[in-house]
Amino acid sequence: MSDYNFAYLDEQTKRMIRRAILKGLAVPGYQVPFASREMPMPYGWGTGGVQVSAATLTPEDTFKVIDQGSDDTTNAVSIRKFFEKTAGVAVTEETEKASVIQTRHRIPEAPLREDQILVYQVPIPEPLRFLEPRETETRKMHSLEEYGLMHVKLYEDISQHGAIATAYAYPVKVADRYVMDPSPIPKFDNPKLEMAAIQLFGAGREQRIYAVPPYTKVVSLDFEDYPFEATKADHACDLCAAEDSYLDEVILDDAGNRMFVCSDTDYCRTRREAGHVGRLGEEVAA
Amino acid sequence: MTPLLQVKGIEKHYGARIGCADVNFDLFPGEVMGIVGESGSGKSTLLNCLAGHLTPDAGQVIFDTRAEGPVDTVTMSEPARRMLGRTDWAFVHQHARDGLRMNVSAGGNIGERLMAVGARHYGDIRARAVDWLDRVEIAENRVDDRPSAFSGGMQQRLQIARNLVTEPRLVFMDEPTGGLDVSVQARLLDLLRGLVRQMGLSALIVTHDLAVVRLLADRLMVMKDGHVVESGLTDQVLDDPQHAYTQLLVSSVLQV
C-alpha cells in the first residue's frame, strides 16, 4: 500500500467532487462548477477526468483507461499507473471487466452495462464557447434555453462545406433541456450516448463537471433537410474485419499504402481472438 | 387606437448624475419617432432603457404584445423580454460590428434570429437570407462572405437585414448612419425609408443628424441634459423651434 490517501485526493476534496457529480446527475447536461485541484499532471492530460475518477473509485473497483480508444498510449498508461499506485485498485484492459472506465475522445464499442461508469476527460465543456466568448452570456443562454446560436455553427458548416462538417465534439441536447458538448468524441459515437452506464464528464482546467444519467434522451442537433449522420471511414478493420467500429487510418509506407484499424484496441483484440481476420491480419491463437 | 409603445416617467441615474429623467411619450403603429440632442444628452441611455438593455430606475415601458396586449416590459420576466428582443423588437447599433457576428457569414448572421425562434430547415433559412440580402441591396453571391469583407455601408445594411428578418414591429436605431460618408448615408436612408413604409414598422431613431430625422421621422423629441425640452411633428419642430436649445440646434446645421 502506498503513502497516498486512497486515490490521491483527500477525503474532503472527493466529497466536494461527489456533490458536484450528484448535482450533475440530478440536472442532466448542466455544467456544475467545482473547485478543481492541481493534479500531478499538466492540464490537458485529463485532470478533470482523473479527479472525477478519484472521487468515484472504491477499493473494489476495476479500472480501465482509454485514450482515443486505445489502452496502450502514453496518456492511458500513465493514468492507469497513477491509480494503480495511489488507489491500489485492480486494472484491466477489457471493457467487459471494468467497473470504472476513464476515456479520452471515445466511447468503447462494446455496449456498457448498468454497473459501469464512464468518465470523460473534457477540454472545453462549454459548447457555445467559440460562438459566444462571454461566460456570463453563455450561462444566461443556458438558463434561458436560448440555443439558436448552436444552429448558426451548423448553418456555417453547411454553407461552407455542403454538409455538417463538424466531425467531433458534436453538440447534443440532453433530456430536452441542456445543450451539451459530449467532449471531443467522434460524432460516430453520439448515438451511443444513450446508454445503460452512468456517464460523467470532468473538465479540470475549466472547473466544470456534468453528467448524463443512464437511459437519458440525448439528441444530436441538426437541420430537417440536413439530418445528423454518424459517420466513419468507409472500410472494414484490416485486422479484425469489423465493419461496425470506428476506424483509425494508419499510413504504412511512402508508396501510398495504408490500413484502417479499430480505434478501440480491446474490441479489436476480442474479435481477433474470436477468430475474425481482416485483410492484413493473421490468425491469433486464442 | 392602442399605442404600440407607451413610455411613462422613465428615469435613469448614474450615481448622482442624471442619465435621463421624466420621459413620457406614446408611439403608435407605423409611426417613426426621432430623438435628437447633443452628445451626452441622454438619447442613448433612453433608447437602451426602452429596449431593455438597461434597467430604468423608475417608470414604465408598456409594449402592445401580440399575445397578451399591453405589458410593462420593465417588470416582465427576462426570458419574455429577451424573446421580444428576438422577435417583435429589433435594435440597430451605430457600429455594425456591435450588432453583427463578424466571424459568421452574412447568411448565418441573417439566419441567427430565425434559428433563435426555432427555424430548423436549412433550405428555408438560406432562401430567406438571400431574399433579405436582395432587399438591402447586397449581391446574392456575397451570402457566404463574412461581414469583415464588407464595406461599412454594406455592414450597416446587413445589420438591418439581420434585424428585420423576423418582421419585428418596433425597431430601435442608435445613430444608424453614424460614421458613414454622405452618399452611403443617403442610400441607407433611402433604403430605411422604403423598408419602414413597406413593412409598416414603428421606429425610434436616435441621432444627432437633423437631416436623418427630417427624412425619416414623423415626430421629433429634442433632449438636453437628460430631459425632453421640446417635442412635436418633425417639420413643426425643425421649422419653428420654440426652445432655445432647439433653435441653437437648428441654426447649427451648415447650409451648403
Side-chain angles (χ1 to χ4, degrees), chain A residues 251-258:
Chain A
I251 307 283
L252 295 179
D253 52 29
D254 57 3
N257 287 313
R258 57 199 179 151

Side-chain angles (χ1 to χ4, degrees), chain B residues 1 36 51 56 65 82 131 141 167 170 180 198 202 204 209 212 238 243 247:
Chain B
M1 192 170 178
V36 295
T65 58
R82 283 172 71 113
D131 174 47
N141 60 14
E167 295 181 3
L170 176 59
L180 301 176
Q198 224 174 59
S202 301
L204 276 170
D209 187 344
V212 171
L238 292 183
H243 190 273
Q247 292 169 355

Side-chain angles (χ1 to χ4, degrees), chain B residues 32-36 189 205-221 234-235 238:
Chain B
V32 179
M33 166 93 103
I35 304 173
V36 295
L189 283 175
I205 301 179
V206 159
T207 181
H208 52 236
D209 187 344
L210 292 183
V212 171
V213 286
R214 175 78 90 171
L215 273 171
L216 284 179
D218 304 312
R219 279 198 300 148
L220 194 58
M221 252 168 41
T234 304
D235 290 343
L238 292 183

Side-chain angles (χ1 to χ4, degrees), chain A residues 46-68:
Chain A
T47 54
V50 166
Q51 289 179 75
V52 171
S53 293
T56 310
L57 280 173
T58 64
E60 295 75 37
D61 272 320
T62 308
F63 192 55
K64 169 185 160 89
V65 188
I66 52 173
D67 171 8
Q68 309 267 8

Side-chain angles (χ1 to χ4, degrees), chain A residues 57-65 89-102 115-117:
Chain A
L57 280 173
T58 64
E60 295 75 37
D61 272 320
T62 308
F63 192 55
K64 169 185 160 89
V65 188
V89 290
V91 296
T92 180
E93 293 194 0
E94 291 173 48
T95 308
E96 279 283 295
K97 291 184 180 161
S99 56
V100 177
I101 304 172
Q102 182 172 332
D115 60 346
Q116 291 177 310
I117 297 176

